Amino acid sequence: MSSEEQQQKKNNEEGEEEALKPLEIENGLRLVPRVKLNLTVYPSTPLTLSHPIDEWKMKRALIDFLHSSHSLTLPEDDDLHLTRLKDLKKRKRDDPVAAGTLRIWDLSSFRTENHRFRLTEKLNGIELNLEGVKFRLAATVPVSDDFQGMKKDWEEHSAFRSRREPDTVVLRGVPSRWFAEPRVSSKPSMLVTHTIFSTFGKIRNLNVAEDDDFGKDANEDSGDLVSGLYCKIVVQFERYRDFHDAMKVLCGRSLQKQGSQLKADYEVSWDKDGFFRNSRNQIQEKNNMVSTRAADHYRSEAPRRQAYNSRHSPDTVRPRRFKE
């Protein structure tokens, strides 16, 4: 291996180690690294269920497996979330019976970023035995946590479609109140958000809006989804390098506020649809439409004004007589 390759390998290892450390940003926020996996539970063989599966027993079976096979201990019950399929009548024999997420905060055994993929491979396909019925577990890394996968995607997009490097990060599912001005409003603030994301580089454009659709599918039966709870942030950087580094830092982390135990999961992606370019076009189209309507209105009013003026033109109006 050449000296350049050795240096590159060293830089990559250092970068992966940095990715496993918390990062302090502005406004009392920090980005906490974690491993997150999406879980889906299938019957090992096509199965018709006569009654719902026991979520608690399935969670215990999976927790025991993680502890015995990987020496992983989950300190909080919320770190493993499983939800069973509720409507058994609509379920086909080979459909999943449950789905959920696994979060691991203790990364002492994850020396590099690739360890999450190794854990995924080990969990993917394991069997869980519940009361004599065997189930198969499918584990995947969320798209939002796969930095290399997204980078490959945007590089291919730039090469074959837009021919320009991406520069815009899209963040969904962050708590609105953490981006608001204290004692002013609970709604996200452009000023506060700009200050926070300036940590990653110089910003060209920024958009912040409430995101009531986030989490609606997962919580449609809970009835406790509050309007304005989450916000969507679209931030365009001046330089590609700042965009790249921001994406790398945001992948595989959760957001935490100083003084709060809550760790907020968010979804990070890159803008492939030209959000700000399309926004400008929509504004321009709207302005053009207003101008066109105004011109049409003026033209339609012109004959009436002309007729009105002709009746009162200087040639037809009698001059006023003033007493001398």
Side-chain angles (χ1 to χ4, degrees), residues 43-57:
S44 291
T45 57
L47 178 67
T48 301
L49 295 178
S50 58
H51 59 278
I53 62 171
D54 191 316
E55 294 176 2
W56 185 84
K57 290 182 179 180

Side-chain angles (χ1 to χ4, degrees), residues 13 45 184 201 211 232 279 294 299:
E13 290 176 351
T45 57
V184 175
D211 193 9
K232 178 180 178 181
S279 297
R299 284 193 294 270

Side-chain angles (χ1 to χ4, degrees), residues 49-276:
L49 295 178
S50 58
H51 59 278
I53 62 171
D54 191 316
E55 294 176 2
W56 185 84
K57 290 182 179 180
M58 182 164 287
K59 286 181 63 173
R60 292 310 314 171
L62 185 54
I63 289 173
D64 292 343
F65 174 83
L66 290 171
H67 182 69
S68 60
S69 301
H70 301 281
S71 300
L72 292 175
T73 301
L74 304 182
E76 302 292 339
D77 288 341
D78 290 342
D79 293 340
L80 175 59
H81 176 73
L82 281 177
T83 303
R84 65 190 179 193
L85 189 68
K86 294 182 178 179
D87 195 343
L88 295 176
K89 295 180 180 179
K90 295 183 179 180
R91 180 190 167 274
K92 297 180 181 179
R93 287 166 57 83
D94 53 354
D95 281 349
V97 296
T101 54
L102 169 66
R103 295 175 183 83
I104 301 172
W105 303 100
D106 181 8
L107 304 185
S108 56
S109 59
F110 294 80
R111 292 190 303 169
T112 66
E113 219 176 345
N114 290 331
H115 276 65
R116 77 182 65 196
F117 292 96
R118 294 177 186 172
L119 176 63
T120 306
E121 292 174 356
K122 292 179 179 179
L123 289 179
N124 195 38
I126 68 169
E127 282 194 344
L128 302 172
N129 194 330
L130 295 180
E131 299 177 343
V133 180
K134 292 183 178 180
F135 297 93
R136 176 175 53 86
L137 183 71
T140 59
V141 175
V143 175
S144 181
D145 279 22
D146 185 5
F147 171 74
Q148 293 300 332
M150 283 195 288
K151 183 178 180 182
K152 181 180 179 181
D153 193 16
W154 80 56
E155 286 178 345
E156 291 178 352
H157 186 276
S158 299
F160 298 108
R161 297 182 186 178
S162 64
R163 297 184 177 276
R164 51 186 296 181
E165 293 178 327
D167 53 13
T168 304
V169 176
V170 181
L171 212 64
R172 296 190 63 188
V174 291
S176 296
R177 65 183 185 276
W178 290 357
F179 289 80
E181 295 185 52
R183 298 182 295 277
V184 175
S185 172
S186 60
K187 294 184 177 181
S189 161
M190 288 283 286
L191 178 61
V192 172
T193 306
H194 191 283
T195 301
I196 293 171
F197 279 90
S198 293
T199 304
F200 305 112
K202 190 174 181 181
I203 294 173
R204 176 178 295 154
N205 284 306
L206 181 68
N207 181 272
V208 187
E210 292 182 356
D211 193 9
D212 294 338
D213 291 333
F214 182 83
K216 183 178 291 185
D217 293 338
N219 297 278
E220 59 184 358
D221 296 326
S222 63
D224 59 355
L225 201 63
V226 181
S227 177
L229 183 63
Y230 300 111
C231 65
K232 178 180 178 181
I233 299 170
V234 185
V235 53
Q236 183 182 40
F237 291 96
E238 290 279 359
R239 301 190 310 160
Y240 167 76
R241 172 50 56 183
D242 294 335
F243 157 82
H244 175 279
D245 292 347
M247 287 290 295
K248 190 169 185 179
V249 167
L250 291 167
C251 282
R253 283 182 165 92
S254 292
L255 196 65
Q256 188 175 25
K257 180 77 170 178
Q258 185 179 5
S260 172
Q261 294 299 317
L262 174 66
K263 298 183 181 73
D265 275 350
Y266 51 78
E267 292 181 0
V268 60
S269 59
W270 59 281
D271 172 38
K272 63 178 68 174
D273 301 319
F275 177 87
F276 291 106

